[in-house]
Amino acid sequence: MINVVVLGAGNVGQHLINAFIKADEVSLVQVYNRTLSHIAQFKQDTIITDDLSALAKADVYIIAVPDQAVHKVSEAMPRVNGVVAHTSGTTPMSVLSKHNRRGIFYPLQTFSKAITPDFASVPFLLESQAASDLLVLQDLAGTLSDKIYDINSEQRRQIHLSAVMVNNFVNHINYLAFNQLEKKGLPTDLLKPLMEETLHKLTYMSPYEAQTGPAKRGDEVTIRQHLALLDHDTNKQVYNILTKSIREHYGKKL
Amino acid sequence: MINVVVLGAGNVGQHLINAFIKADEVSLVQVYNRTLSHIAQFKQDTIITDDLSALAKADVYIIAVPDQAVHKVSEAMPRVNGVVAHTSGTTPMSVLSKHNRRGIFYPLQTFSKAITPDFASVPFLLESQAASDLLVLQDLAGTLSDKIYDINSEQRRQIHLSAVMVNNFVNHINYLAFNQLEKKGLPTDLLKPLMEETLHKLTYMSPYEAQTGPAKRGDEVTIRQHLALLDHDTNKQVYNILTKSIREHYGKKL
């Protein structure tokens, strides 16, 4: 049985709390939040507190607060026996206070309040200062997922950059594509099967092999027609730079 | 029973041919291709020809050749009784020769030689010059899919632009993200669950609501760290312009 305290109840915090409550091998001994009312719903399942000096004993303390608050919360914690790990993709382990043993417990996924994540499919990126603490973090992550990776802070930063691309940038491009249709009163549902197949193709081939389209084949007529349909400067810039980037990778110049 | 001739045997042509062969309500009476050996595999199921003057009688003639060849093939066709429709997303109906009745039969999907598409989920965008021909095209598309849309050439061009975004641009961003990891010897499989959830989220919310990340929340520290990790000018430009575009849509300026 692994004893855990979770600090913070944002999207990541709440989903981890709910998952730990359900996990047989985990005892969620306490949840901390600055604002007690935000964690009132966990009262039946664990002890809740807004007092950092009253933290319970645990094997792992998970700090799931916004990136810029991780340092402050870890500094404000008392000396504890367990390992103190944060859940941020970008923040190095070194921001954690030195007065406790440090670690990283980063679930690589996008979380929404309304959607209960399937942690079984979520990769957990783990790191620890002391080798023995990595085993504890591995055991804890292993109660939720089989996808466990030992990743140092520098690697995690690289992965977070790529995660921003495939999540934030891809979602924004989807938004721009939907927006173009909505402005013309056309149904965005039209695009869904194509979006699904775009992803599905990567089961069979690499994104490099999967690339198609006017930029790759150097189809200037279509590219010019598309640019004429975009009525916003930034949209034209997005189109141009992605077209340029594709051309650079496939060796076709305008 | 709808009698169909397919002209051309590229990705779209071959997949349509195979689907028509299986469809109970369709009789694929002939397949034409400039190079006969490319359609030899259909000999058991239909008549094959490389002679445009020997086209069989049919209700619908589907021209599934590269965009720039549509005009030439349609001009070279004899006068026929059926409707002549092309399968291109960008090419207007007007490129088809005036000596036959014209139409569009555009399946909005990305096709690969190696993957048999599930046409049932593919939207068919139809157009015709004569109203009565639209009914024939609807009947024919209806043998493969329930997703049938009447879309004029101007709308189709808009949709094709959005299709290029959600397919070509999204795939290229996935490529750039994978490439960043591969350069550092990190596994790209890490990103798959996130890519799936990015798409899955759009079942519950719009891409506008689904947006998260450093650009949206104006997190300059992370943005600067990411830019420092990108070692190629075009990659930095892609990052910068997408970050700028997200900021413009969410009202956060650097």
Side-chain angles (χ1 to χ4, degrees):
Chain A
M1 186 65 73
I2 309 166
N3 294 311
V4 179
V5 171
V6 175
L7 300 94
N11 276 345
V12 177
Q14 295 226 6
H15 289 309
L16 282 176
I17 290 165
N18 283 317
F20 286 144
I21 287 170
K22 282 187 201 134
D24 289 338
E25 309 89 334
V26 176
S27 171
L28 182 68
V29 293
Q30 193 180 39
V31 171
Y32 159 87
N33 201 59
R34 201 169 48 169
T35 310
L36 207 57
S37 62
H38 292 175
I39 49 173
Q41 75 264 37
F42 301 120
K43 248 196 298 197
Q44 276 105 356
D45 296 299
T46 187
I47 295 165
I48 64 171
T49 183
D50 59 358
D51 181 3
L52 277 179
S53 69
L55 287 187
K57 282 189 187 174
D59 303 304
V60 184
Y61 296 79
I62 304 282
I63 302 187
V65 301
D67 292 4
Q68 63 279 9
V70 171
H71 176 70
K72 208 177 143 188
V73 168
S74 77
E75 285 292 345
M77 277 180 67
R79 203 180 193 102
V80 292
N81 268 322
V83 56
V84 178
H86 74 66
T87 58
S88 162
T90 41
T91 314
M93 190 162 65
S94 57
V95 306
L96 290 167
S97 168
K98 284 179 190 158
H99 73 263
N100 280 313
R101 275 148 46 218
R102 304 187 271 187
I104 302 291
F105 192 83
Y106 171 48
L108 178 58
Q109 188 50 287
T110 174
F111 297 101
S112 316
K113 200 140 266 172
I115 307 174
T116 302
D118 173 19
F119 274 112
S121 72
V122 174
F124 278 83
L125 278 47
L126 308 179
E127 183 182 4
S128 73
Q129 211 171 10
S132 59
D133 287 332
L134 193 60
L135 298 176
V136 179
L137 295 176
Q138 284 170 340
D139 283 348
L140 182 59
T143 66
L144 304 181
S145 171
D146 291 333
K147 300 183 176 175
I148 296 168
Y149 298 84
D150 303 339
I151 296 287
N152 67 37
S153 290
E154 178 53 31
Q155 292 171 323
R156 186 160 34 83
R157 213 199 297 266
Q158 288 283 352
I159 293 164
H160 184 258
L161 166 60
S162 288
V164 161
M165 290 179 174
V166 302
N167 173 242
N168 303 160
F169 288 176
V170 161
N171 183 71
H172 183 62
I173 294 203
N174 288 339
Y175 164 73
L176 294 177
F178 278 36
N179 203 233
Q180 278 297 119
L181 295 191
E182 282 163 357
K183 280 193 282 190
K184 303 287 175 179
L186 292 164
T188 57
D189 274 357
L190 271 176
L191 299 175
K192 292 276 176 76
L194 180 58
M195 293 158 76
E196 279 160 20
E197 185 61 20
T198 301
L199 187 54
H200 180 239
K201 259 186 164 181
L202 302 186
T203 318
Y204 300 87
M205 58 186 89
S206 71
Y208 188 85
E209 295 166 316
Q211 191 65 45
T212 59
K216 186 189 172 190
R217 64 176 185 268
D219 177 351
E220 293 178 49
V221 176
T222 301
I223 291 168
R224 261 188 248 121
Q225 283 177 353
H226 283 171
L227 284 168
L229 293 175
L230 293 164
D231 55 6
H232 186 290
D233 264 2
T234 308
N235 293 356
K236 283 185 206 284
Q237 286 171 27
V238 168
Y239 191 99
N240 272 325
I241 189 66
L242 286 167
T243 296
K244 178 187 165 195
S245 183
I246 293 170
R247 278 167 178 278
E248 282 181 6
H249 286 279
Y250 293 89
K252 299 230 171 143
K253 304 254 173 207
L254 271 171
Chain B
M1 187 65 74
I2 310 166
N3 294 312
V4 179
V5 170
V6 174
L7 300 94
N11 276 346
V12 177
Q14 296 227 5
H15 289 309
L16 282 176
I17 290 165
N18 284 317
F20 287 144
I21 287 168
K22 283 188 201 133
D24 290 337
E25 309 90 334
V26 176
S27 170
L28 182 68
V29 292
Q30 193 179 41
V31 170
Y32 158 86
N33 200 60
R34 200 169 50 167
T35 310
L36 207 57
S37 62
H38 292 176
I39 49 173
Q41 75 264 39
F42 302 119
K43 248 195 299 196
Q44 276 104 356
D45 296 298
T46 186
I47 295 164
I48 64 171
T49 183
D50 59 357
D51 181 2
L52 276 180
S53 69
L55 287 187
K57 282 189 186 173
D59 302 305
V60 184
Y61 296 79
I62 303 284
I63 301 187
V65 301
D67 293 4
Q68 63 279 9
V70 171
H71 175 69
K72 206 178 146 190
V73 169
S74 76
E75 285 292 346
M77 276 180 67
R79 205 180 189 100
V80 292
N81 268 322
V83 56
V84 178
H86 76 63
T87 58
S88 161
T90 41
T91 313
M93 190 162 65
S94 58
V95 305
L96 289 167
S97 168
K98 284 179 190 157
H99 74 264
N100 280 313
R101 277 150 44 220
R102 304 188 270 189
I104 302 291
F105 191 81
Y106 171 47
L108 177 59
Q109 187 52 284
T110 173
F111 298 101
S112 316
K113 200 140 265 175
I115 307 174
T116 301
D118 174 19
F119 275 112
S121 72
V122 174
F124 278 83
L125 279 47
L126 309 179
E127 183 181 4
S128 73
Q129 210 171 11
S132 59
D133 288 332
L134 193 60
L135 297 177
V136 179
L137 295 177
Q138 284 170 342
D139 282 350
L140 182 59
T143 66
L144 303 181
S145 170
D146 292 331
K147 300 183 175 174
I148 296 168
Y149 297 84
D150 303 340
I151 296 287
N152 66 37
S153 289
E154 177 51 32
Q155 291 171 323
R156 186 159 35 83
R157 213 200 297 267
Q158 288 283 351
I159 293 163
H160 184 259
L161 166 58
S162 288
V164 161
M165 290 179 175
V166 302
N167 174 242
N168 303 160
F169 288 176
V170 161
N171 184 71
H172 183 62
I173 302 244
N174 289 339
Y175 164 72
L176 294 177
F178 277 36
N179 203 232
Q180 278 296 119
L181 295 191
E182 281 163 358
K183 280 193 282 191
K184 302 287 175 179
L186 292 164
T188 57
D189 273 357
L190 269 175
L191 299 174
K192 291 275 175 74
L194 180 59
M195 293 160 75
E196 279 160 20
E197 185 61 20
T198 300
L199 186 55
H200 180 240
K201 259 187 163 181
L202 303 186
T203 319
Y204 300 87
M205 60 186 89
S206 70
Y208 188 84
E209 295 165 317
Q211 191 65 46
T212 59
K216 187 188 171 191
R217 62 174 187 270
D219 177 351
E220 293 176 48
V221 176
T222 300
I223 291 168
R224 258 187 251 122
Q225 283 178 352
H226 283 170
L227 284 168
L229 293 175
L230 294 164
D231 54 7
H232 186 289
D233 265 1
T234 308
N235 294 355
K236 283 185 205 287
Q237 286 171 29
V238 168
Y239 191 98
N240 272 324
I241 189 65
L242 286 167
T243 296
K244 178 186 166 196
S245 183
I246 294 170
R247 279 166 176 276
E248 283 181 6
H249 286 277
Y250 293 87
K252 300 228 172 145
K253 305 254 175 210
L254 269 173

